[in-house]
Amino acid sequence: MQDKNQTPANMSPRDWVQILAKYREPSSFRSSFELAISLIPFVVLWVLACWVAQYSYFAAFLISCANGLFLLRLFCIQHDCGHGSFFGNRDVSDWIGRALGVVTLTPYDVWRRTHSIHHSHAGDLDQRGIGDVMTLTVEEYHQRTAFGRMLYRAYRHPLVMFGLGPTYLFFLQNRLPLGLMNQGHKYWISAMGTNAAILTILGTIVYFGGFQALFLVFLPTTLIAASIGVWLFYVQHQFETTHWEQSEDWQLHEAALHGSSHYDLPPILRWFTANIGIHHIHHLYSRIPFYRLTEVLRDHNELVEVSRMTIAQSIKCASLDLWDEKSKRLISFAAARKLAA
């Protein structure tokens, strides 16, 4: 992974913003096509899994797990809608995003606002708490009580972060506009409207397909997509050489480019994740449609190696838990103990 202090072609992150602006325009045809080839297979596999469940629970379960990848892609398209990058018409993007939010169990307007906060403050140590993975500094961790340290260690444990966490996030936390409870009726309408639509769909599923459709099709599809999605979000910012600074030293574009990873995935996974692994460019210019991010890498090879990691390299990220302000590195609990010794 390239050191974060190296700037591609000796250009500042702000300079890159001007260059990336030319990639921001979406194609209505291409966006419609990408939506269709994601949504149609998703629906077909859903129906197929329900039909197969009459003959083989195991086969229905496997189809549902595979369909989780299409649900993940629909979430990534919803993500582009939230940034206004999927269609040139913002209203079209928003209503498609709201419809997809029912499928992904995510109240669109609530998520769009919290995700905007994430983009506005990613890497700012004084602005943590909304739309990000909770991260303590080494000093903050040691200042906690023994019980507080235990809770944080439990929160950061892979079984919780990537197992229980996605279930809690999508099935419970998303049901209320947490973080925006006092920000107006818009977010309550988004959350409650999405909840009502989800209940209607679930009731229809149980009515026509029985509880086997709920447990063999709906749950596996949703949980697979949720778990992979949480992992992707995690490695996009929780890597060793990520970028955190106190507010007085924090710079938006610097944090965007160097605090976000380039998760270099195999082609098939890049497709299912809608290029979300090219996250450093996305954070630097979030209005670029996902299908144009590869154009940026093709035209500007110097951006390829910035905070680049492979799947094998990303596994280490699961053991990094604390930000060390002295070394400017994300480190493990074991490394933090050695520092305190």
Side-chain angles (χ1 to χ4, degrees), residues 252-291:
L252 175 64
H253 299 104
E254 184 78 18
L257 181 60
H258 296 300
S260 308
S261 66
H262 172 201
Y263 199 21
D264 197 357
L265 298 170
I268 186 63
L269 293 182
R270 284 203 301 269
W271 189 88
F272 276 113
T273 59
N275 295 326
I276 198 66
I278 310 176
H279 211 63
H280 59 317
I281 296 174
H282 165 68
H283 259 259
L284 196 54
Y285 207 106
S286 62
R287 290 297 300 274
I288 300 176
F290 76 81
Y291 49 79

Side-chain angles (χ1 to χ4, degrees), residues 65 68-69 72 162 166 223-234 273:
C65 289
L69 292 173
L72 174 65
F162 311 115
L223 291 177
I224 289 293
S227 295
I228 298 175
V230 168
W231 168 254
L232 288 171
F233 184 75
Y234 182 88
T273 59

Side-chain angles (χ1 to χ4, degrees), residues 63-227:
I63 293 171
S64 300
C65 289
N67 205 17
L69 292 173
F70 283 99
L71 181 57
L72 174 65
R73 197 169 201 266
L74 289 173
F75 184 89
C76 292
I77 289 176
Q78 174 192 317
H79 168 264
D80 263 28
C81 290
H83 284 290
S85 62
F86 200 59
F87 284 103
N89 186 307
R90 185 70 200 228
D91 289 336
V92 173
S93 286
D94 284 343
W95 282 106
I96 289 176
R98 291 183 182 107
L100 292 178
V102 176
V103 178
T104 63
L105 308 187
T106 306
Y108 174 77
D109 291 290
V110 176
W111 172 85
R112 185 179 65 173
R113 177 57 183 151
T114 58
H115 192 66
S116 175
I117 294 172
H118 161 68
H119 268 259
S120 299
H121 299 293
D124 187 338
L125 286 170
D126 296 317
Q127 297 291 338
R128 288 168 286 173
I130 295 182
D132 57 12
V133 176
M134 181 171 67
T135 306
L136 296 180
T137 66
V138 172
E139 183 180 356
E140 288 170 340
Y141 176 73
H142 288 307
Q143 288 177 347
R144 283 195 165 196
T145 64
F147 182 68
R149 291 194 295 272
M150 183 190 71
L151 288 179
Y152 182 71
R153 291 178 72 95
Y155 168 80
R156 300 286 299 204
H157 194 282
L159 290 178
V160 175
M161 184 68 67
F162 311 115
L164 297 177
T167 302
Y168 167 76
L169 174 62
F170 285 93
F171 285 89
L172 296 177
Q173 181 175 312
N174 279 353
R175 306 286 59 84
L176 291 172
L178 297 182
L180 303 173
M181 303 281 277
N182 300 316
Q183 300 298 311
H185 64 277
K186 174 182 179 179
Y187 302 112
W188 282 97
I189 292 174
S190 176
M192 296 304 109
T194 301
N195 292 343
I198 291 171
L199 286 175
T200 300
I201 291 174
L202 291 181
T204 303
I205 290 171
V206 173
Y207 181 81
F208 287 103
F211 284 99
Q212 67 183 25
L214 188 67
F215 290 106
L216 295 175
V217 182
F218 170 75
L219 284 179
T221 297
T222 304
L223 291 177
I224 289 293
S227 295

Side-chain angles (χ1 to χ4, degrees), residues 15-86:
D15 292 333
W16 277 108
V17 172
Q18 298 177 9
I19 295 173
L20 297 178
K22 71 176 185 178
Y23 298 93
R24 64 175 286 171
E25 293 302 324
S27 161
S28 295
F29 175 81
R30 177 68 184 273
S31 294
S32 300
F33 176 75
E34 295 290 350
L35 179 61
I37 61 175
S38 304
L39 186 58
I40 292 173
F42 173 75
V43 173
V44 169
L45 288 176
W46 235 101
V47 174
L48 178 62
C50 289
W51 179 75
V52 168
Q54 303 174 72
Y55 309 99
S56 171
Y57 288 166
F58 183 67
F61 175 78
L62 289 181
I63 293 171
S64 300
C65 289
N67 205 17
L69 292 173
F70 283 99
L71 181 57
L72 174 65
R73 197 169 201 266
L74 289 173
F75 184 89
C76 292
I77 289 176
Q78 174 192 317
H79 168 264
D80 263 28
C81 290
H83 284 290
S85 62
F86 200 59

Side-chain angles (χ1 to χ4, degrees), residues 3 26 68 116 202 245 285 291 315 317 337-338 340:
D3 190 281
S116 175
L202 291 181
E245 293 286 356
Y285 207 106
Y291 49 79
I315 303 303
C317 296
R337 280 198 300 272
K338 291 181 181 179

